[in-house]
Amino acid sequence: MVVLGVQNILLLLVSGLLVNLVFKFIVQPAFLSPLAKIPAGHWSAHFSPLWILYIRWTNQENATILRLHQEKGKILRLGPSELSVNDYAEGLKKIYMGGFPKNNFYAHRFTNYETRNMFTMIDGKEHSERKRMLSNVYSKSIVLSSPTTRATTASIMYKRLLPLLQESSDKGSPIEMLELSYGYAMDAFMAYQFGLSRGSNFIQDVQRRKWYLDLFFRRRPYLFFITETPRLISRLSRVGLRIVPKWVDAATDELETWNLDICDSAEQLLSQNDAIPAEDYPVIYAQERLALRKAYQGITRLYTPRADQTYPFRYEIASDMYDHNAAAHETSGDTLTYVHYEMARDPALQRRLREELLTLDPPILYPAKDQENVQLPDFKAVDGLPLLDAILQETLRLWVAVPGGQPRLTPSPPCSIAGYENIPPNTKVQCYAYALHRNPEVYPEPEKWKPERWLHATPDKLSEMRRWFWAFGSGGRMCIGNNIAIHSMKMAIAATYTNFTSHIVEHGDMTLVDGFTAGPKGNRLNLKFEHV
């Protein structure tokens, strides 16, 4: 009798525990949560995150989210505490311009040197303070008027990029443009970041370029686990089980060391107090170095766990610098590749663009009359060319380099989104540029690359398209480097199509990789160039 009594008590306890678990993890989120009324991407999303995790792991997320928004409307439930919104007013404006905070997605994926940077900062005040330190040198007016921008642009165009295209023309040999575009984007950005002599030379140093790109992209299949399951990785590693191989950490260490060496070199240059030529001045590095020392006098580090601070804020600056140049080379490189892909398929558009480019004073002709004293047109004039701008805008729309969801957390107290009330605090909510840019009501025939949509739209239509345009994000967390990115891409396009025509020799699958960032799935675009 006593044994039966104990068994009955145990049975009741187990039953009660099961009932409690079923209520907490199934009944409550699926039926009683304020999110329960929101259309779900999958029936299981009401009580389990496994569906959306599977979609991300299998690289189907962006296309799936677009299809589901088309079927179910502007808001979707992706998991028990996760939403997607495909709308300007209720998405971009409310979430990103409304200051919804970031979550740990960014820290897991983009922290460098174990030290958070501006991109990974969750606290809005901390982020704003850091962004203000750098916003001046990233502003459009400074980028377009900087002596460093002018000197480095001339050197990279006339001593690196254009000679390579001329060689293709002379020999009739193709160039693989994806890798070259990554190299150009890195060179152009790092010349402004660290100065020409300390930045990369990936256009000419092919071996070094391949080394970098191999380390950078070979880690990508493991980013899902690093970003989505960091606790699982940590727990398994404690018992000797590794989901992420050791070589991934070794590759990251190698890239971080490369970037840190450049930072150390820039620090040494600035510490000498010598006059620095414009083309070698490390504009971005120098600005952050000065701003941090001014804001935190008497302090040598803020929050890095690393002790070897051989100079003030060594790892805080290095973490920002690595984040900025990694983002610059990938996003601008992918975008330029797609510009070349579309242009090479349209000889008539190449002719029209060249006619526009020849109106610049002086035009960007190669070879230059005086190769050692190259005269470039006013960068504001280049920026203001309508067709050039339309070509870049349309490429950024259709072939958006960051198509994936950019998660935020809902604030306290509960808020309303897209007509649904009492959305609980700390609910993960996000928009996807891939879906926003394919709204047919805003962008008719959204799957077609049509630069003319930016040229012939009415003022009201143009304003609407710009509101929904999200290639660089929006709000206080908008990409800080958008002005230098646009400048470097426009100059590359302008210099190329002023002097050369292009046509496709061969390419891989040009469909966008389905991920947070994206380039072509086939990883190659071989073009031939002919001097006009």
Side-chain angles (χ1 to χ4, degrees):
M1 295 292 291
V2 173
V3 173
L4 289 174
V6 171
Q7 289 178 338
N8 288 335
I9 291 172
L10 289 174
L11 182 61
L12 286 172
L13 289 173
V14 171
S15 299
L17 178 62
L18 288 174
V19 169
N20 184 60
L21 291 174
V22 169
F23 178 82
K24 182 177 180 180
F25 292 105
I26 297 180
V27 175
Q28 199 281 331
F31 301 103
L32 303 180
S33 167
L35 307 184
K37 295 179 181 179
I38 296 174
H42 187 267
W43 60 267
S44 65
H46 285 301
F47 56 85
S48 171
L50 291 178
W51 168 75
I52 190 59
L53 289 175
Y54 172 78
I55 293 299
R56 288 189 181 123
W57 180 52
T58 54
N59 299 314
Q60 303 178 63
E61 183 177 7
N62 299 330
T64 300
I65 296 301
L66 171 63
R67 175 178 58 80
L68 290 170
H69 275 300
Q70 290 171 340
E71 295 174 359
K72 298 174 180 286
K74 67 176 67 173
I75 186 168
L76 294 170
R77 191 179 193 184
L78 306 182
S81 188
E82 182 172 355
L83 304 174
S84 172
V85 183
N86 195 43
D87 189 64
Y88 168 73
E90 292 299 305
L92 299 188
K93 186 176 181 180
K94 178 169 287 188
I95 297 167
Y96 298 91
M97 298 180 197
F100 284 29
K102 285 187 171 182
N103 68 351
N104 285 327
F105 165 87
Y106 303 91
H108 294 323
R109 185 159 178 164
F110 298 104
T111 296
N112 310 308
Y113 308 98
E114 305 171 274
T115 304
R116 67 179 179 267
N117 50 60
M118 186 171 68
F119 192 58
T120 65
M121 290 174 178
I122 293 176
D123 180 75
K125 182 179 179 182
E126 182 182 39
H127 173 268
S128 295
E129 289 174 354
R130 179 63 60 86
K131 190 170 185 178
R132 278 197 296 271
M133 291 180 181
L134 288 167
S135 58
N136 181 51
V137 294
Y138 274 117
S139 69
K140 187 172 184 177
S141 60
I142 296 298
V143 165
L144 296 185
S145 63
S146 166
T148 297
T149 307
R150 180 158 290 274
T152 58
T153 300
S155 185
I156 289 172
M157 290 300 165
Y158 281 85
K159 295 181 180 180
R160 299 185 190 180
L161 181 63
L162 291 173
L164 195 65
L165 301 184
Q166 184 65 57
E167 183 180 358
S168 172
S169 177
D170 293 341
K171 295 182 177 179
S173 57
I175 299 176
E176 200 291 292
M177 292 304 297
L178 177 61
E179 198 176 283
L180 178 61
S181 295
Y182 287 142
Y184 166 79
M186 184 68 98
D187 289 1
F189 178 78
M190 290 189 75
Y192 189 65
Q193 183 182 30
F194 291 115
L196 193 67
S197 62
R198 284 166 176 76
S200 62
N201 185 3
F202 286 170
I203 295 174
Q204 294 175 316
D205 192 342
V206 177
Q207 184 176 355
R208 194 64 165 166
R209 180 175 80 206
K210 288 183 179 296
W211 165 83
Y212 178 91
L213 295 176
D214 177 64
L215 291 178
F216 188 85
F217 287 110
R218 194 151 46 96
R219 304 169 302 160
R220 176 150 294 174
Y222 299 96
L223 291 180
F224 168 82
F225 301 104
I226 293 170
T227 304
E228 301 293 340
T229 62
R231 291 182 182 177
L232 177 63
I233 290 174
S234 178
R235 289 168 183 168
L236 290 177
S237 66
R238 291 174 192 167
V239 297
L241 298 175
R242 293 188 65 94
I243 296 177
V244 179
K246 289 184 178 180
W247 67 259
V248 174
D249 294 335
T252 299
D253 290 343
E254 203 171 339
L255 292 172
E256 288 185 349
T257 299
W258 170 78
N259 179 76
L260 187 62
D261 286 346
I262 298 172
C263 290
D264 291 347
S265 179
E267 179 65 31
Q268 183 180 14
L269 174 70
L270 292 168
S271 298
Q272 294 170 353
N273 294 318
D274 296 332
I276 303 171
E279 68 174 17
D280 285 330
Y281 191 74
V283 174
I284 300 173
Y285 181 91
Q287 175 64 26
E288 184 162 20
R289 174 185 186 266
L290 176 65
L292 284 171
R293 293 185 183 199
K294 184 177 180 180
Y296 302 100
Q297 296 181 29
I299 298 174
T300 60
R301 62 177 177 173
L302 296 175
Y303 34 68
T304 183
R306 300 194 175 191
D308 54 330
Q309 292 282 94
T310 53
Y311 51 86
F313 312 110
R314 185 187 189 203
Y315 288 106
E316 283 83 1
I317 299 173
S319 185
D320 270 331
M321 295 300 104
Y322 182 96
D323 176 69
H324 292 195
N325 59 49
H329 99 261
E330 184 179 6
T331 56
S332 294
D334 286 332
T335 302
L336 280 173
T337 299
Y338 279 112
V339 168
H340 286 301
Y341 171 64
E342 296 289 2
M343 293 296 291
R345 298 197 296 169
D346 194 338
L349 184 59
Q350 291 186 44
R351 289 192 293 271
R352 285 175 54 208
L353 178 59
R354 185 168 187 267
E355 289 173 1
E356 180 180 78
L357 294 169
L358 289 174
T359 65
L360 293 169
D361 184 22
I364 312 171
L365 294 173
Y366 181 83
K369 292 182 179 179
D370 183 353
Q371 191 74 5
E372 296 303 317
N373 187 28
V374 171
Q375 299 298 311
L376 292 174
D378 184 352
F379 290 158
K380 293 180 181 178
V382 178
D383 185 61
L385 293 174
L387 181 56
L388 176 61
D389 187 67
I391 287 168
L392 183 58
Q393 286 283 103
E394 182 65 356
T395 306
L396 288 164
R397 181 199 69 82
L398 180 60
W399 304 110
V400 58
V402 186
Q406 300 192 33
R408 298 292 189 266
L409 295 175
T410 53
S412 181
C415 63
S416 65
I417 299 177
Y420 293 90
E421 305 291 334
N422 298 315
I423 305 296
N426 295 316
T427 299
K428 181 179 175 182
V429 58
Q430 62 217 309
C431 292
Y432 293 74
Y434 187 87
L436 290 163
H437 289 183
R438 283 165 170 76
N439 182 342
E441 295 181 4
V442 179
Y443 306 104
E445 298 183 285
E447 295 292 347
K448 291 186 177 181
W449 187 78
K450 299 173 63 176
E452 60 270 19
R453 76 171 80 243
W454 300 95
L455 294 171
H456 306 313
T458 65
D460 288 345
K461 184 62 178 178
L462 189 61
S463 177
E464 181 185 38
M465 289 194 297
R466 286 175 174 165
R467 281 198 301 270
W468 282 71
F469 184 77
W470 211 45
F472 297 103
S474 55
R477 298 276 188 164
M478 183 178 179
C479 172
I480 192 172
N482 67 307
N483 292 312
I484 187 67
I486 290 172
H487 165 73
S488 67
M489 288 190 287
K490 283 187 175 181
M491 286 303 298
I493 299 164
T496 298
Y497 290 100
T498 296
N499 297 284
F500 299 93
T501 60
S502 66
H503 67 269
I504 295 173
V505 175
E506 186 267 343
H507 64 79
D509 184 354
M510 296 303 292
T511 307
L512 278 173
V513 170
D514 197 315
F516 179 75
T517 55
K521 289 181 180 178
N523 285 316
R524 69 185 187 280
L525 172 64
N526 294 311
L527 301 185
K528 276 187 181 179
F529 292 88
E530 295 180 4
H531 200 284
V532 179

